[in-house]
Amino acid sequence: MSASAGRADRRSWGVAPSGETIHTYTLALPGGVQATLTDLGATLVGLEVPDRQGALGDVVLGHDRPEPYADHATSPYFGATIGRYANRITDGRFTLDGRACVIPANDGPNALHGGPGGFDVCLWHGEARLTDAGPAVVFTRTSPDGEMGFPGTLEVRVTYTLAGQADGGAALTIDYHAVTDAPTVVNLTNHSYWNLTADPARGVLEHELTVNAPAFTPVRPGGLPTGEVRSVEGTPFDFRTPRAIGERLADADGQLAVVGGYDHNLVLDAGQDGLRLAAVLYDPHSGRELGIHTTEPGVQVYSGNFLDGTITGKGGQVYQQHAAVCLETQHYPDSPNQPGFPSTRLDPGQVFTSRTVHTFRVR
């Protein structure tokens, strides 16, 4: 690959409590599109893409230094790789082949995003590469048997690749790969907080969202799924045509009330296989558009309900409620306890793979 097609750089960013060096990895394309990642949590730290005037802006929330990323009070999973199990597990418990698995609670009585020591706070091994597809960074780690209560030794690889597009836009692809030496459950995602204005103070309530999801999984208190798969027809969860995120947040809907807004798994169209368009997010002010294609069966739409002005991020920005929206491609929450949901089981000899592609263009 020629140097003019992009670059992939690594530099020191700090020191972890273990004494190991934390790094950032910069993936850059000609013209200025640039992604910054760190091996702390295999995290997307920054992503600069142009608006309709060509001005570059950072469209993800995060921090200027590594220390806040290790504390969930200051970084509620900003840009992190989530594992072993994205989303919630009821009471932090499930049974697999008669084995009781207990995950430490970190969301009331429940386990959220792999428990308090999930993949998001682990230091990964990173390697920057120039590939035929574009500049990339490959993160790997070994999750030992029993880590956060999950069975089996899991070998995990997460690859971020930045590439230009024929239409002049750009794409950030995330490829996930995992194998295990014993039966386990796996549900991996990226937890970026998107604000396409590149100005978190504006919030995302005017962003227009489209999700190709005919159904969603209702939740009970604590954000746990009831086990039902319900049609979005006639509900605030119908984003099959573009709707402003804030348009129906004040609706008298019990599902919105139970978690203070959107924090729900939307069930993607099961009639399509492989990589397919899941969602489109559009900011009418900047003209930036984010398209999300995925191989996963669901996408968690979270409207930043619990951002409350107590977190100060990049450049001294204070993150208020609805400063950003998360669109987490995933299997469904609490699947190990919900036999009617798509299975997240992984056995020895099987290979877990998943791909999500984020495309950026302007209107």
Side-chain angles (χ1 to χ4, degrees), residues 188-271:
L188 306 179
T189 193
N190 174 271
H191 206 300
S192 287
Y193 285 67
W194 302 102
N195 184 312
L196 299 183
T197 69
D199 178 9
R202 291 190 68 107
V204 294
L205 296 185
E206 296 181 6
H207 280 39
E208 296 172 5
L209 178 63
T210 309
V211 185
N212 290 326
F216 74 108
T217 51
V219 297
R220 53 191 172 87
L224 299 159
T226 64
E228 179 188 0
V229 175
R230 184 184 301 174
S231 171
V232 299
E233 185 71 36
T235 77
F237 303 93
D238 189 350
F239 286 98
R240 291 174 293 180
T241 56
R243 304 291 289 263
I245 291 173
E247 180 180 339
R248 295 169 293 181
L249 271 178
D251 285 8
D253 182 278
Q255 279 295 302
L256 292 175
V258 76
V259 287
Y262 294 109
D263 193 6
H264 295 74
N265 170 62
L266 272 61
V267 175
L268 299 176
D269 187 351

Side-chain angles (χ1 to χ4, degrees), residues 41-317:
T43 295
L44 179 63
V45 173
L47 184 60
E48 295 187 17
V49 295
D51 64 11
R52 64 166 62 96
Q53 276 76 45
L56 292 167
D58 187 355
V59 295
V60 294
L61 271 56
H63 294 284
D64 296 318
R65 54 193 180 87
E67 292 82 6
Y69 283 101
D71 184 351
H72 292 145
T74 51
S75 183
Y77 308 97
F78 289 144
T81 293
I82 304 299
R84 281 190 198 188
Y85 199 93
N87 220 306
R88 294 172 173 88
I89 295 178
T90 299
D91 295 330
R93 295 175 179 270
F94 62 93
T95 301
L96 191 65
D97 293 341
R99 174 178 174 176
C101 303
V102 181
I103 317 305
N106 62 332
D107 186 43
N110 309 304
L112 175 65
H113 293 331
F119 287 178
D120 62 294
V121 294
C122 295
L123 192 63
W124 296 58
H125 173 75
E127 181 183 344
R129 298 177 179 176
L130 289 177
T131 73
D132 290 340
V137 58
V138 181
F139 293 114
T140 56
R141 77 175 301 261
T142 299
S143 175
D145 179 34
E147 183 175 52
M148 289 290 104
F150 290 96
T153 298
L154 193 73
E155 301 287 346
V156 189
R157 182 174 74 237
V158 181
T159 304
Y160 292 83
T161 306
L162 186 64
Q165 300 288 283
D167 63 2
L172 181 68
T173 297
I174 310 176
D175 286 301
Y176 304 89
H177 178 282
V179 294
T180 183
D181 65 358
T184 192
V185 295
V186 180
N187 189 21
L188 306 179
T189 193
N190 174 271
H191 206 300
S192 287
Y193 285 67
W194 302 102
N195 184 312
L196 299 183
T197 69
D199 178 9
R202 291 190 68 107
V204 294
L205 296 185
E206 296 181 6
H207 280 39
E208 296 172 5
L209 178 63
T210 309
V211 185
N212 290 326
F216 74 108
T217 51
V219 297
R220 53 191 172 87
L224 299 159
T226 64
E228 179 188 0
V229 175
R230 184 184 301 174
S231 171
V232 299
E233 185 71 36
T235 77
F237 303 93
D238 189 350
F239 286 98
R240 291 174 293 180
T241 56
R243 304 291 289 263
I245 291 173
E247 180 180 339
R248 295 169 293 181
L249 271 178
D251 285 8
D253 182 278
Q255 279 295 302
L256 292 175
V258 76
V259 287
Y262 294 109
D263 193 6
H264 295 74
N265 170 62
L266 272 61
V267 175
L268 299 176
D269 187 351
Q272 302 181 47
D273 295 320
L275 191 69
R276 61 206 188 278
L277 181 64
V280 176
L281 185 66
Y282 172 64
D283 170 37
H285 297 283
S286 68
R288 293 186 181 96
E289 178 189 284
L290 163 63
I292 299 178
H293 291 73
T294 190
T295 58
E296 289 295 299
V299 58
Q300 184 83 5
V301 176
Y302 170 55
S303 53
N305 313 321
F306 303 116
L307 297 174
D308 60 3
T310 60
I311 296 174
T312 300
K314 301 173 194 173
Q317 299 172 102

Side-chain angles (χ1 to χ4, degrees), residues 11-26:
R11 63 188 62 186
S12 299
W13 201 35
V15 179
S18 64
E20 298 172 275
T21 301
I22 301 169
H23 300 91
T24 57
Y25 302 79
T26 301

